[in-house]
Amino acid sequence: MPLPERPHRPLSGAERPAVFSSHPSPPPPAYVPPPHPPRHHLPAAPPRRALALGIGLLLLSLLFALLLRWDRTPFFQGVDDRWAAAVDHSSAGASGEPGGFLVVLDRLGGPLGMVLPLVLLGCLCVYGRWRSGLFVLLAAVVSNALVVLPVKQLADRPRPPHPWVLVNDGSYPSGQVFGAVTLVIVVAVVVFPPPARRWCWAFGGAYVLAMMGSRTWLHAQWLSDTVAGALLGAGTCLVLWRILAPLLETEAQRMASNSLWL
């Protein structure tokens, strides 16, 4: 008599035979920390809302230029007159000639002020940093002719009486202060790393204030002209800084990887 068949039962985990493989599983990958950003980020990235702030400064300068075009005695002329009277007695000698420091500032604000950005532009291009060079060229050289001169013609403001240095027509805005502001900003953006950039802003601000004071001390421009030059220069740099931000970011990445010439 045949024996009854036992029902098939699946094997449990403990009853299953062990399966050995000749290829052991690879160990888990080691932890790789994320790459850190470059320690000295050059060129610097523009601040938040740089475009909006720059456009606002430019529009404010244009608004005051239109006001001067319509009214030769605007509401701030009284402040300009009081400041001009306060600096009427300066440190000039008996001959009425300005001091040496004032002459240096006047030369820096003139044609010599265009030489410094061009030297910086050449140095940047030699090292392959043509993107930063483009920013320097547009902000510190080209804008002086494309921004300052049209605003001067729009405002058409007379100079203070009896200036002590040779000046041309058009007092508003101050081209010397505009050049000082743009030079300080482009140098801080493309030359100095973050730890030293704070000192650049401090010394640059002192240089701009000295330029503003020298222009009024020499009776070459009104106080409001120097303020407008500073606003116009800062606004121009902020707008160009934001527009060229993708190029400057690409250069910063290539500087971190030592591949500027690629």
Side-chain angles (χ1 to χ4, degrees):
M1 178 177 180
L3 297 176
E5 296 182 358
R6 300 179 63 181
H8 177 73
R9 181 176 60 86
L11 299 178
S12 62
E15 296 174 344
R16 292 176 183 175
V19 178
F20 298 95
S21 174
S22 59
H23 302 284
S25 60
Y31 172 74
V32 179
H36 295 284
R39 183 178 179 183
H40 301 312
H41 190 78
L42 282 176
R48 296 181 59 185
R49 300 182 179 86
L51 184 61
L53 180 59
I55 293 176
L57 294 177
L58 293 177
L59 292 178
L60 183 63
S61 303
L62 290 176
L63 177 63
F64 282 108
L66 290 173
L67 182 62
L68 287 167
R69 184 76 177 189
W70 293 333
D71 187 4
R72 291 303 180 183
T73 57
F75 66 91
F76 51 83
Q77 186 62 50
V79 178
D80 287 339
D81 292 336
R82 287 192 293 272
W83 181 265
V87 299
D88 190 31
H89 301 286
S90 66
S91 60
S95 60
E97 294 295 331
F101 180 66
L102 298 178
V103 172
V104 171
L105 290 177
D106 182 62
R107 296 295 185 271
L108 287 176
L112 183 59
M114 289 291 100
V115 175
L116 300 178
L118 292 176
V119 171
L120 176 60
L121 170 62
C123 294
L124 291 171
C125 292
V126 165
Y127 286 96
R129 299 182 57 187
W130 62 267
R131 299 168 184 84
S132 291
L134 178 63
F135 175 59
V136 173
L137 177 66
L138 294 178
V141 179
V142 177
S143 63
N144 207 310
L146 298 183
V147 177
V148 175
L149 294 182
V151 177
K152 278 184 177 291
Q153 294 179 356
L154 176 63
D156 193 24
R157 190 183 195 185
R159 298 271 183 174
H162 311 298
W164 288 10
V165 290
L166 182 64
V167 292
N168 53 13
D169 295 334
S171 183
Y172 181 98
S174 173
Q176 284 80 359
V177 176
F178 179 92
V181 170
T182 55
L183 179 62
V184 168
I185 293 178
V186 298
V187 169
V189 170
V190 306
V191 175
F192 288 98
R197 195 171 296 137
R198 293 187 293 268
W199 295 101
C200 179
W201 293 128
F203 284 107
Y207 170 62
V208 171
L209 289 176
M211 182 66 72
M212 295 172 66
S214 70
R215 299 309 294 170
T216 57
W217 199 268
L218 295 172
H219 306 285
Q221 283 166 319
W222 304 101
L223 177 62
S224 58
D225 301 335
T226 62
V227 174
L231 297 179
L232 200 63
T236 301
C237 286
L238 286 173
V239 170
L240 292 174
W241 194 359
R242 185 64 190 88
I243 292 175
L244 299 177
L247 287 177
L248 298 178
E249 177 64 24
T250 300
E251 182 178 298
Q253 296 174 356
R254 294 194 174 189
M255 285 189 66
S257 60
N258 294 324
S259 59
L260 273 174
W261 291 101
L262 299 180

